């Protein structure tokens, strides 16, 4: 039995969408019929990944590793505390950083984030996910409507890396700044993640649950928040549309998501 971990945006689906190519759906179904287990391994919170569950998955590594399940069993659940949340939002906002906060069942964004994103260039899977999430009204509400739910991570966006300097100084002991690989003069965007978790540790939790060696794990990803997953799995696969850093360290590079890349990757690995 193999454990297969799939990022969503830019890997399973075109960034920001909830419909995988038909070839990917068939590949997932066939590999599960062979006895392999398939998990979503994503930066999305549970609310945003829910539309994909209908295609058949054995669990999730959600919120970049902050929420991990096998079937209905929760293996790990680690939101930040309220003091951490408030401190992070305060330092980001006073430096002009746009934020979206993510709970398990909801997301709330700064009110002017949609205008900010619309003015950014194309080509980054995380930017595209947020552009489409906002334009398609996929549940990102105004920060004014935030209900106090426990927060797992904060999405941050700005135009100058220096806007993150104070936040790194104040938050760096407890949090990692996972910044996406972007072209020069593009938007700076990424995630603030608790150092207690990442996608790689989520993968390890699932492997331990099944009593399997990490050599039996396979991970598919495309962006820098997939780095820890790519580093720990037995076989690592990056999409051709992915970050150069990730492609350089992956065992296999498969075609882009919109060219049946996932299904072709499954074929290469005889899954």
């Amino acid at each position: 039995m193999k454990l297969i971990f799939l990022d969503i945006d830019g890997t399973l689906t075109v960034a920001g969408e909830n419909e995988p190519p038909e070839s990917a759906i068939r590949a997932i179904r066939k590999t599960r019929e062979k006895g392999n287990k398939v998990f979503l391994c994503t930066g999305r919170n549970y609310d945003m990944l829910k539309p994909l569950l209908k295609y058949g998955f054995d669990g999730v590594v959600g919120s970049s590793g902050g929420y991990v399940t096998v079937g209905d069993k929760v293996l790990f659940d680690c939101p930040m505390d309220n003091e951490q949340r408030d401190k992070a939002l305060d330092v980001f906002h006073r430096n002009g950083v746009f934020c979206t906060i993510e709970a398990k069942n909801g997301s709330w964004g700064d009110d002017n984030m949609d205008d900010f994103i619309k003015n950014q260039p194309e080509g980054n899977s995380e930017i595209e996910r947020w552009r489409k999430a906002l334009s398609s009204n996929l549940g990102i509400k105004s920060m004014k409507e935030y209900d106090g739910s426990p927060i797992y991570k904060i999405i941050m966006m700005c135009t100058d890396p220096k806007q993150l300097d104070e936040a790194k100084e104040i938050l760096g002991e407890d949090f990692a700044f996972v910044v996406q690989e972007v072209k020069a003069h593009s938007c700076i965007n990424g995630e603030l993640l608790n150092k207690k978790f990442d996608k790689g540790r989520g993968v390890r939790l699932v492997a331990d649950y099944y009593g399997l060696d990490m050599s039996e794990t396979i991970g598919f990803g495309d962006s820098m928040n997939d780095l820890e997953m790519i580093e720990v799995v037995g076989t690592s696969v990056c999409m051709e549309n992915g970050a150069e850093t990730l492609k350089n360290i992956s065992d296999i590079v498969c075609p882009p998501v919109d060219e049946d890349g996932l299904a072709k990757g499954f074929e290469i690995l005889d899954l």
Side-chain angles (χ1 to χ4, degrees):
M1 179 175 69
K2 301 288 186 182
L3 301 179
I4 304 166
F5 296 86
L6 306 179
D7 173 54
I8 296 176
D9 295 285
T11 301
L12 175 61
T13 72
V14 172
E17 297 188 1
N18 290 320
E19 295 293 330
E22 184 60 35
S23 61
I25 297 171
R26 289 195 302 268
I28 292 166
R29 182 177 64 248
K30 289 180 179 178
T31 200
R32 294 182 76 216
E33 289 172 352
K34 292 174 64 174
N36 297 321
K37 305 290 185 181
V38 185
F39 292 79
L40 293 173
C41 190
T42 177
R44 293 192 189 193
N45 62 2
Y46 191 80
D47 187 55
M48 285 187 175
L49 66 81
K50 268 194 307 189
L52 281 302
L53 295 179
K54 65 184 179 182
Y55 297 110
F57 293 95
D58 297 286
V60 303
V61 177
S63 295
S64 295
Y67 184 75
V68 182
T69 69
V70 172
D72 294 328
K73 183 178 179 63
V74 178
L75 301 186
F76 187 70
D77 189 2
C78 185
M80 63 181 71
D81 62 42
N82 292 347
E83 182 180 355
Q84 291 172 322
R85 176 201 65 204
D86 293 344
K87 183 189 294 185
L89 287 175
D90 179 63
V91 67
F92 282 140
H93 284 154
R94 71 170 173 258
N95 283 281
V97 177
F98 295 83
C99 298
T100 292
I101 55 177
E102 295 187 4
K104 176 186 175 185
N105 291 312
S107 300
W108 297 266
D110 290 334
D111 290 337
N112 52 350
M113 182 181 277
D114 53 350
D115 293 329
F116 174 74
I117 292 176
K118 288 174 184 176
N119 292 324
Q120 303 308 313
E122 308 284 335
N124 178 284
S125 69
E126 292 300 306
I127 287 288
E128 289 307 297
R129 176 163 77 91
W130 288 104
R131 191 198 307 271
K132 292 178 181 179
L134 288 166
S135 64
S136 302
N137 193 27
L138 297 182
I140 300 179
K141 301 175 183 177
S142 166
M143 194 74 79
K144 296 175 183 176
E145 300 178 47
Y146 174 49
D147 63 6
S149 298
I151 297 302
Y152 291 80
K153 68 174 186 175
I154 298 176
I155 300 294
M156 51 194 177
M157 297 183 188
C158 57
T159 56
D160 186 340
K162 292 180 180 179
Q163 291 175 263
L164 300 178
D165 288 348
E166 185 185 9
K168 289 178 178 179
E169 181 178 345
I170 292 175
L171 306 171
E173 183 175 347
D174 296 324
F175 292 89
F177 287 70
V178 182
V179 178
Q180 299 300 328
E181 198 174 83
V182 294
K183 298 177 181 179
H185 310 300
S186 185
C187 172
I188 307 299
N189 69 296
E191 303 172 341
L192 182 76
L193 297 178
N194 197 316
K195 288 184 177 180
K196 292 180 180 179
F197 60 78
D198 55 52
K199 286 187 178 183
R201 278 182 274 188
V203 168
R204 288 189 183 277
L205 282 173
V206 176
D208 289 345
Y209 176 85
Y210 285 104
L212 291 178
D213 188 82
M214 290 299 291
S215 62
E216 302 302 316
T217 63
I218 302 167
F220 288 75
D222 75 298
S223 68
M224 293 309 295
N225 72 356
D226 297 314
L227 177 62
E228 288 81 6
M229 174 185 72
I230 291 296
E231 290 177 332
V232 304
V233 291
T235 303
S236 54
V237 185
C238 185
M239 314 304 287
E240 179 60 40
N241 53 272
E244 291 300 320
T245 298
L246 225 59
K247 287 192 278 190
N248 290 338
I249 64 172
S250 294
D251 297 314
I252 296 170
V253 176
C254 65
V257 58
D258 56 358
E259 295 179 15
D260 298 319
L262 195 71
K264 291 174 181 175
F266 276 39
E267 290 175 10
I268 292 170
L269 295 171
D270 193 28
L271 296 175

